[in-house]
Amino acid sequence: MKISRISRKYARALFEVLQASGKTRESLTQLEAVSKVLEKDQPELRTVLAHPRILAERKAQLVTKIFGDVVSPETMQLLQLLAKRGRFPAL
């Protein structure tokens, strides 16, 4: 499956969850900030999170440690899911 198809799949699911919780704008802002960190501020972190030899559970722990205090629980759930399923490049 291509990254863009994967991205759309996760985006649709996230939007439905956020819409139900009323936190759409907040979480989208948080995801943009996370994406900026991964692309511009800490590109090596994106490499680590995409590396196939690093255990998924370790990736989820890193995500929690780095972003746990700055994103909502809904956003954190998505980030952990992406980490555990090896789909962080879809972000």
Side-chain angles (χ1 to χ4, degrees):
M1 192 180 283
K2 286 186 159 184
I3 294 283
S4 60
R5 287 170 56 192
I6 294 167
S7 296
R8 279 193 296 268
K9 179 181 175 181
Y10 282 99
R12 249 185 254 118
L14 175 65
F15 183 73
E16 290 173 12
V17 170
L18 295 178
Q19 197 171 29
S21 71
K23 296 183 178 182
T24 306
R25 187 172 308 276
E26 173 189 357
S27 288
L28 290 177
T29 301
Q30 291 171 358
L31 286 172
E32 287 174 350
V34 168
S35 183
K36 179 185 176 283
V37 167
L38 295 174
E39 287 179 23
K40 296 182 177 158
D41 300 337
Q42 298 291 326
E44 61 277 357
L45 178 58
R46 180 181 283 278
T47 302
V48 168
L49 293 172
H51 199 286
R53 289 195 176 182
I54 298 175
L55 296 175
E57 194 56 42
R58 180 65 181 133
K59 292 176 186 179
Q61 290 171 351
L62 283 171
V63 166
T64 301
K65 185 175 183 177
I66 294 167
F67 299 110
D69 292 337
V70 295
V71 299
S72 69
E74 294 84 4
T75 302
M76 180 52 65
Q77 284 180 326
L78 174 67
L79 295 176
Q80 287 180 339
L81 180 66
L82 292 172
K84 288 179 181 177
R85 296 211 175 149
R87 301 293 191 196
F88 236 91
L91 182 64

